Amino acid sequence: MATAEELRERYRIERDKRLRSDGNDQYVEPTGRYAHFVDDIWTAPVPRDPCTDEIEVAIIGAGFAGLVTGARLKQAGVDDVRLIDGAGDVGGVWYWNRYPGAMCDTAAMIYLPLLEETGHMPSQKYTMAPEIFEHAQRIATTFGLYEHALFSTSVTSLEWDESASRWIIHTDRGDALRARFVTMGTGPLHRPKLPGVPGIETFEGHAFHTSRWDYDHTGGSPTDGRLVGLADRRVGIIGTGATAVQCIPHLARSAGELFVLQRTPSSIDVRNNRPIDPEWFATLRPGWQDEWRMNFTVLQTGGFVDTDLVQDGWTDISQRIRDRIVAGIQSGEIEDVGPEAFRYAYEASDDEKMEEIRARVESIVADPVTAEALKPWYRQLCKRPCFHDDYLQAFNLPNVHLVDTDGRGVERIDATGVWVAGEHIDLDCLIFASGFEVGTDHSRRAGFETIGRDGQTLTERWADGMQSLHGIHVRGFPNLFILGPTQGANLISNITHNLVEAAATIATTIAHGRTLGAQEIEVTPEAEAAWVELIDTHPGTIFGDTECTPGYYNGEGREATRRDRRNSSGYPLGAVAYFEYIDAWRSSGEFAGLEFRP
Ligand code: NDP
């Protein structure tokens, strides 16, 4: 095993190869030849007249954020709610992403919201995308959220009407809706982005982004990964992130020749998926899902509990850190459990984990050159960790070619294929597994602008980074509630935990405002400033580390500015402390920091 210093040096060399001055700007929005990449290929819009009516709560975004908000509002007695989404149905990322092999890397028992309320038992520990999409539909049906919903309807602007204390929502269907309250769960992972490789628009073969998988071209379906249409095709895929890792095994089995165009290898830990036993599931006591979610969060963020209920790769590294600290205390090696001890335990555990991950590559991939190129040289949480039991095996198939670009990426694209290291690879089909808009301005990510009091836009208000109370309320934007991890728990390993808590907070706040007969609910400038100050003065997570290889977790490796930190940090005391804090905040009935105006 390499020494810690040798590993550090190797990590630095690999990171430096990948640093680039254009950071996030290396990516481009789909335009021109690729403009249709943002279109909905799953549902044709149903013709309808524009709506101009008034509703109590407009819920923008019908993914899990919107669905849990709708459910909690209904439970709180607020019935007049309306989902609005550009997609043809609920589901958010699980509506768009139907690529073969799509599944959730977070265990279904904690990822799928409202399992107890809907009475659903997940079929497996980690569920496939079609089952997740179905669960989204189940939530909508159970809570009556299809009623009044507007699908295939993209919001084009959201504007506060001061004279009426209402939001006006304009859409691409000609609607001008009025809403007393608006919740916004527009997520960062739904607008596809493309690599800004020179010549990208000149490719004349077939091309698509993974979030709009073209089954007409490839054959197969979201539930049938046999892509018979690719049998005699030369297929290239750009990207080796979490999405690519899941679809590559299917492409490998189906394509005539598959060229995996790799810039940085992902870390691939074991998946070890298995069915859930209905008899065992029936023994769970009411309230189990909250307990499971919190158990996972405590363990994943380095806390102590007696039993690890989920037991998977996300909690593994924390388990090792804890064990090391306990062993260090017992042996007398660690006297003070402070940041130093944590840093030591973290680095040693991570080195051990990553050596195992690299050894796994070697044990599975037969060709030594390919195996070497598939080894990740960075800390596990620098990039999104991946878990798969078929991905590495795919590189043993004779039709699969790893084209490792040694951190440089695809050089150029032309009419007939791609160029890497001066060599041309002919392709019939090019698949972009190049990810989504993360870290760009609010309007570019959401796809519309939000105009608050005095005509100020959210983009202007956040020019120097996000400013909020709890990640939910923004001064100057009354009656608007935002759902997302940032400036809240910031729990990346189980996104829906952030959303379930935010939905409970928002529903309780709106219900309270209605009881008071309040026309406006708004955060005070002092409360917002104090929260932002907390974020500004205690930022810094291992995730945002510039020692890490570049990626969207660390702003593509750029030195983080205050704006970056505000846009990516959570509550400084961590996710568990945030969930406890926000639970106490909403249960107290005081709603400290908010103004309720008649
Ligand atoms: P990512 O942004 O994670 O990956 C984009 C990929 O494109 C990277 O491998 C990147 O390389 C590569 N790339 C970019 N430009 C070039 C280039 N010029 N040449 C070659 N390669 C290039 O997107 P994904 O769609 O994979 O994942 C996005 C997120 O979606 C995940 O991080 C995860 O949060 C979520 N997801 C969640 C799943 C779940 O289980 N819940 C499943 C799938 C996705 P480089 O690494 O060098 O930047």
Side-chain angles (χ1 to χ4, degrees):
M1 176 171 165
T3 64
E5 287 66 37
E6 285 165 351
L7 282 180
R8 224 62 75 239
E9 179 60 7
R10 178 75 196 262
Y11 289 3
R12 195 188 55 71
I13 292 169
E14 294 293 335
R15 179 205 59 186
D16 289 355
K17 273 185 204 168
R18 292 168 171 83
L19 281 175
R20 32 193 297 165
S21 55
D22 51 1
N24 248 325
D25 295 338
Q26 68 182 282
Y27 289 101
V28 294
E29 291 185 270
T31 52
R33 174 194 184 323
Y34 300 118
H36 65 284
F37 280 10
V38 295
D39 292 350
D40 187 350
I41 58 170
W42 310 120
T43 314
V46 178
R48 65 167 175 82
D49 293 330
C51 298
T52 52
D53 51 336
E54 179 164 323
I55 39 178
E56 186 72 357
V57 188
I59 299 176
I60 302 179
F64 280 131
L67 290 168
V68 286
T69 307
R72 293 295 182 225
L73 283 165
K74 292 263 177 160
Q75 286 177 323
V78 185
D79 275 328
D80 185 15
V81 305
R82 168 172 279 172
L83 295 174
I84 305 173
D85 202 300
D89 201 339
V90 297
V93 290
W94 300 106
Y95 174 88
W96 296 112
N97 284 282
R98 304 187 190 194
Y99 58 84
M103 71 181 325
C104 186
D105 284 334
T106 305
M109 295 286 281
I110 55 166
Y111 180 80
L112 294 180
L114 305 172
L115 283 176
E116 291 189 72
E117 291 82 345
T118 55
H120 177 64
M121 183 194 83
S123 65
Q124 302 187 84
K125 182 168 179 179
Y126 305 95
T127 37
M128 304 300 293
E131 182 174 337
I132 303 173
F133 179 36
E134 255 175 52
H135 185 63
Q137 294 173 316
R138 179 177 300 109
I139 295 174
T141 307
T142 306
F143 290 94
L145 298 172
Y146 276 121
E147 218 181 312
H148 310 306
L150 295 179
F151 294 121
S152 306
T153 301
S154 296
V155 172
T156 50
S157 74
L158 179 62
E159 191 165 3
W160 177 247
D161 177 353
E162 182 76 33
S163 61
S165 297
R166 292 291 182 270
W167 284 100
I168 314 293
I169 304 162
H170 289 281
T171 76
D172 63 352
R173 305 293 294 268
D175 308 310
L177 295 152
R178 303 168 71 76
R180 185 169 167 197
F181 301 107
V182 172
T183 74
M184 203 152 72
T186 45
L189 293 176
H190 73 294
R191 284 190 76 81
K193 68 179 187 208
L194 298 176
V197 179
I200 183 171
E201 70 293 340
T202 61
F203 184 63
E204 287 178 3
H206 200 80
F208 58 88
H209 187 272
T210 47
S211 65
R212 306 291 190 279
W213 194 273
D214 189 349
Y215 284 105
D216 286 345
H217 182 76
T218 66
S221 73
T223 51
D224 177 2
R226 289 169 302 174
L227 309 170
V228 291
L230 298 178
D232 58 353
R233 302 269 147 159
R234 291 170 64 88
V235 179
I237 180 164
I238 295 189
T240 47
T243 298
V245 165
Q246 294 179 342
C247 65
I248 280 173
H250 296 275
L251 288 168
R253 282 192 284 270
S254 308
E257 301 288 329
L258 176 66
F259 299 87
V260 177
L261 304 157
Q262 172 180 275
R263 191 166 67 177
T264 310
S266 281
S267 71
I268 318 289
D269 208 348
V270 286
R271 164 83 310 161
N272 201 10
N273 204 4
R274 52 183 178 272
I276 288 182
D277 174 9
E279 279 183 32
W280 166 81
F281 190 79
T283 64
L284 296 170
R285 286 169 289 122
W288 68 264
Q289 202 180 17
D290 279 343
E291 189 195 336
W292 273 63
R293 258 197 299 261
M294 206 57 176
N295 176 277
F296 174 83
T297 304
V298 170
L299 284 170
Q300 209 269 309
T301 54
F304 289 81
V305 285
D306 289 341
T307 321
D308 181 351
L309 294 169
V310 173
Q311 293 186 29
D312 71 3
W314 286 103
T315 51
D316 183 61
I317 188 96
S318 308
Q319 194 83 42
R320 291 174 197 233
I321 294 170
R322 263 191 316 278
D323 291 351
R324 268 206 167 69
I325 290 180
V326 170
I329 295 169
Q330 283 166 351
S331 69
E333 225 177 308
I334 296 178
E335 285 172 13
D336 173 23
V337 189
E340 268 308 298
F342 179 78
R343 184 106 212 152
Y344 150 76
Y346 168 67
E347 292 189 356
S349 303
D350 191 77
D351 289 352
E352 180 184 85
K353 178 85 208 173
M354 291 306 284
E355 286 287 271
E356 285 172 20
I357 282 175
R358 288 185 286 265
R360 182 169 184 248
V361 179
E362 229 165 62
S363 71
I364 294 174
V365 179
D367 174 47
V369 177
T370 307
E372 204 48 40
L374 284 165
K375 289 182 185 172
W377 296 100
Y378 46 81
R379 297 193 178 289
Q380 193 191 24
L381 297 181
C382 279
K383 274 181 131 46
R384 169 65 151 68
C386 297
F387 309 88
H388 215 286
D389 293 340
D390 295 321
Y391 175 73
L392 294 169
Q393 288 79 349
F395 294 92
N396 290 334
L397 296 174
N399 62 323
V400 178
H401 315 281
L402 179 69
V403 183
D404 181 47
T405 65
D406 196 24
R408 284 182 290 271
V410 173
E411 250 164 48
R412 198 151 52 87
I413 298 178
D414 65 15
T416 55
V418 296
W419 290 86
V420 173
E423 277 192 34
H424 189 263
I425 301 168
D426 285 345
L427 296 175
D428 304 308
C429 175
L430 180 57
I431 302 172
F432 295 106
S434 46
F436 301 89
E437 293 280 347
V438 184
T440 42
D441 280 345
H442 157 72
S443 58
R444 181 163 158 180
R445 271 178 291 136
F448 61 89
E449 190 52 276
T450 302
I451 306 151
R453 190 180 295 117
D454 302 326
Q456 189 184 38
T457 67
L458 204 48
T459 300
E460 288 162 356
R461 180 76 171 78
W462 286 352
D464 197 20
M466 182 175 181
Q467 303 197 55
S468 79
L469 172 68
H470 304 159
I472 296 175
H473 316 273
V474 184
R475 181 72 186 176
F477 297 79
N479 295 3
L480 176 71
F481 304 87
I482 293 165
L483 290 99
T486 312
Q487 300 199 356
N490 215 22
L491 182 70
I492 303 302
S493 52
N494 186 13
I495 288 294
T496 55
H497 194 172
N498 305 272
L499 306 176
V500 166
E501 287 294 324
T505 306
I506 292 167
T508 311
T509 308
I510 289 179
H512 181 69
R514 280 160 46 99
T515 312
L516 297 179
Q519 288 303 308
E520 293 184 9
I521 304 175
E522 189 175 5
V523 57
T524 66
E526 297 78 21
E528 186 190 71
W531 193 258
V532 175
E533 164 91 6
L534 194 67
I535 304 276
D536 280 349
T537 48
H538 303 82
T541 58
I542 289 158
F543 275 74
D545 213 325
T546 44
E547 280 177 25
C548 277
T549 191
Y552 79 82
Y553 274 9
N554 70 346
E556 301 298 333
R558 208 162 26 110
E559 195 66 51
T561 60
R562 181 172 76 167
R563 180 178 189 275
D564 295 331
R565 288 194 300 269
R566 284 180 174 177
N567 286 343
S568 62
S569 298
Y571 185 57
L573 302 181
V576 174
Y578 177 82
F579 290 140
E580 287 170 354
Y581 163 85
I582 205 73
D583 185 30
W585 183 88
R586 66 173 178 257
S587 309
S588 74
E590 289 171 17
F591 299 93
L594 297 187
E595 288 170 356
F596 292 83
R597 290 191 291 267

